[in-house]
Amino acid sequence: MPKKITFIGAGSTIFMKNIVGDALHYNALSDATIALMDIDQSRLDESELVAKKMIASMDVGATVETYTDQRAALTGADFVVVAFQIGGYKPCTVTDFEIPKQYGLRQTIADTLGIGGIMRGLRTVPHLWNICEDMRAVCPDALMLQYVNPMAINTWAIAARYPDIKQVGLCHSVQGTAAELAHDLGVDVDKLRYKVAGINHVAFFLELEERLADGSYADVYPRLFDGYRNGTYPRTTGANERCPNLVRYEMMKQLGYFVTESSEHFAEYVPWFIKSGRDDLIKRFQIPLDEYPTRCEEQIADWKSQAEAFKKADKIEVPKSHEYAATIMNAMSTNTPAVIYGNVANHGFIPQLPVGAAVEVPCLVDANGISPTVVDNIPPQLIALMRSNVNVQELTVAALLTQDREHIYHAAMMDPHTAAELDLDQIRAMVDDLLAQHGDWLPEWARTQVAA
């Protein structure tokens, strides 16, 4: 029987194209019903056009349905792909950058940790919970493939309130970083073998080896250390000239292992790179402040031209992406085992981190679903860094679960970058300003300040 793949946030047309296009490459999914749902009818129409042209171009039997009603789109789904941004670039992301900047707190991406990640979590989790309620009602056995940031906060909050919902948080940072390292090393990424574990965006390559001509494997870390020391690495990948990998190589030098998320992201997860009065650090490590707003403006402009090109094209090329979603759907549908990196609630998978926290570990996927593996040998310096981020995630989730506004302040106080820049009074005032400005984008309990 054909599978039903529901895409919530299908107005993200390029991302929809990647995920749905990947699925159409698999025989078991090529006749699927693709249910596209979004609240923006114009973007939904664009995505419908692209999906139908992909199907025609590949000459497969999949069908497309569109919805603005979430529960209707979810009815009978086997897989639920979730990709949306509550509040959008404007007004909410702009607010997440501009108000902290008034307090002297500068950011680069602001979607995972820090005050931007906290605010995005407060906006996002209630809607993810709403999807879980609908899934319970109309597709209780479906798997949620969750691509929304802040990934760790979202995954933790879903598992804590809806433990019966099957879910996995998916990111492309592991496979993306492997490709970047292969580029620096001058080797084919398929020749790299690695083991990664941690939390989303702060996971580390615990093992990283190259397959040699004789079939044996060699540790490539000595080459990475030597290359950074002599200035050979990082090489510019061409993906974004503004964002070289200097922060990550420096962290590898200091901690001994390479982290999975980009330098522009990672710089705002720690207290060492973006500091008041230290523009020398910004220059030395080439940290692109306000990078996410810049990207948003570029992507909006790019999309207009791409949308016109798609409308005029008779056929659409459908190359495979490096996302995991279709691999998971195929593995579960055909019982063909696959290994992916997924974000799941921590039930002993990384014993050094708190139970329930969202951890990113290797997962076996087959007809039984997602089976995470245990990684219990992460070096203590890496665990310590992860815990500094987990503290913020845990307090944000606690605020959402208990509807306790005080925990929002606590989360901001514990954030490494925020705490390094602002005092307690500044942090509390900044949070108040953000909550007031976001208004109806937040749940009511977060908007209501209780008199002291």
Side-chain angles (χ1 to χ4, degrees):
M1 184 173 178
K3 299 297 182 181
K4 180 175 180 180
I5 303 169
T6 296
F7 202 113
I8 304 295
S12 303
T13 304
I14 298 301
F15 192 68
M16 181 283 302
K17 176 181 178 290
N18 289 339
I19 301 300
V20 172
D22 288 349
L24 297 177
H25 280 281
Y26 291 102
N27 289 335
L29 305 172
S30 63
D31 62 348
T33 297
I34 310 297
L36 305 179
M37 182 270 161
D38 203 276
I39 59 173
D40 185 326
Q41 185 65 56
S42 64
R43 293 295 299 271
L44 185 60
D45 291 344
E46 291 174 344
S47 290
E48 178 185 18
L49 179 148
V50 170
K52 287 183 173 179
K53 283 194 176 182
M54 285 195 298
I55 290 167
S57 299
M58 297 181 72
D59 193 22
V60 294
T63 56
V64 178
E65 301 171 351
T66 60
Y67 300 84
T68 54
D69 180 274
Q70 178 176 284
R71 183 168 289 201
L74 288 168
T75 300
D78 297 288
F79 302 101
V80 179
V81 181
V82 182
F84 56 76
Q85 183 180 347
I86 299 297
Y89 163 53
K90 291 180 180 178
C92 288
T93 294
V94 172
T95 299
D96 285 342
F97 275 85
E98 293 305 314
I99 288 180
K101 201 181 296 182
Q102 293 170 13
Y103 287 84
L105 186 64
R106 300 173 295 174
Q107 300 172 97
T108 53
I109 304 295
D111 70 355
T112 296
L113 204 72
I115 193 61
I118 294 167
M119 290 297 141
R120 187 179 283 219
L122 295 173
R123 297 192 302 267
T124 303
V125 167
H127 189 64
L128 288 169
W129 282 346
N130 179 264
I131 294 172
C132 291
E133 286 284 352
D134 283 349
M135 288 178 66
R136 273 182 173 175
V138 299
C139 57
D141 296 323
L143 173 69
M144 180 191 286
L145 303 158
Q146 203 271 110
Y147 274 100
V148 185
N149 278 321
M151 177 65 64
I153 289 170
N154 295 342
T155 302
W156 193 336
I158 292 171
R161 187 162 176 178
Y162 294 91
D164 54 307
I165 293 294
K166 302 178 184 71
Q167 62 142 340
V168 61
L170 297 174
C171 183
H172 46 243
S173 60
V174 173
Q175 61 269 45
T177 297
E180 290 183 37
L181 290 172
H183 177 274
D184 280 2
L185 292 163
V187 303
D188 189 325
V189 68
D190 292 333
K191 292 185 177 181
L192 292 183
R193 181 174 71 176
Y194 48 85
K195 179 180 179 181
V196 176
I199 61 175
N200 183 236
H201 290 190
V202 189
F204 288 85
F205 283 76
L206 304 175
E207 299 172 7
L208 183 59
E209 300 172 313
E210 179 190 3
R211 185 178 72 251
L212 304 179
D214 63 3
S216 63
Y217 284 85
D219 182 6
V220 301
Y221 263 120
R223 288 161 62 187
L224 292 177
F225 280 103
D226 288 345
Y228 181 52
R229 191 179 301 113
N230 65 31
T232 303
Y233 306 149
R235 295 173 177 166
T236 302
T237 64
N240 192 327
E241 300 288 343
R242 293 188 300 266
C243 305
N245 257 331
L246 292 165
V247 167
R248 288 205 278 180
Y249 271 95
E250 181 65 18
M251 291 308 304
M252 179 191 73
K253 172 186 171 183
Q254 300 292 340
L255 298 179
Y257 298 85
F258 205 88
V259 72
T260 52
E261 193 43 78
S262 65
S263 286
E264 63 270 24
H265 276 84
F266 192 80
E268 65 183 8
Y269 304 158
V270 296
W272 306 307
F273 296 100
I274 306 172
K275 303 179 74 66
S276 297
R278 293 298 308 276
D279 286 349
D280 60 306
L281 294 173
I282 303 298
K283 182 177 180 181
R284 174 184 169 191
F285 293 104
Q286 298 182 45
I287 298 167
L289 297 170
D290 296 333
E291 171 64 17
Y292 188 65
T294 301
R295 285 184 194 177
C296 288
E297 294 287 353
E298 292 173 347
Q299 288 167 0
I300 291 167
D302 288 345
W303 170 243
K304 290 179 181 178
S305 60
Q306 289 182 48
E308 285 303 312
F310 284 141
K311 288 175 184 176
K312 294 175 182 176
D314 293 327
K315 291 187 176 182
I316 294 178
E317 294 298 319
V318 191
K320 274 193 174 182
S321 79
H322 60 193
E323 303 293 350
Y324 287 131
T327 300
I328 293 170
M329 291 187 275
N330 181 68
M332 291 180 62
S333 300
T334 63
N335 199 28
T336 303
V339 175
I340 59 99
Y341 279 88
N343 292 270
V344 296
N346 188 29
H347 297 299
F349 304 122
I350 298 184
Q352 298 150 289
L353 292 176
V355 172
V359 295
E360 192 166 54
V361 293
C363 299
L364 173 68
V365 189
D366 56 19
N368 294 313
I370 309 290
S371 300
T373 60
V374 174
V375 182
D376 58 5
N377 59 346
I378 300 176
Q381 71 274 20
L382 306 185
I383 289 291
L385 179 57
M386 293 172 202
R387 283 178 181 152
S388 72
N389 283 220
V390 167
N391 291 337
V392 182
Q393 297 159 4
E394 183 171 29
L395 286 161
T396 306
V397 172
L400 287 155
L401 290 170
T402 63
Q403 299 189 4
D404 185 345
R405 180 172 162 137
E406 280 297 303
H407 284 326
I408 303 174
Y409 303 111
H410 300 156
M413 291 172 191
M414 297 301 159
D415 175 62
H417 175 44
T418 303
E421 294 290 281
L422 306 183
D423 65 35
L424 293 171
D425 289 337
Q426 290 174 310
I427 291 171
R428 187 168 285 270
M430 178 181 64
V431 170
D432 284 339
D433 287 349
L434 282 161
L435 297 178
Q437 186 65 35
H438 280 310
D440 291 344
W441 291 109
L442 297 172
E444 184 176 357
W445 62 264
R447 306 195 302 265
T448 306
Q449 187 168 7
V450 178

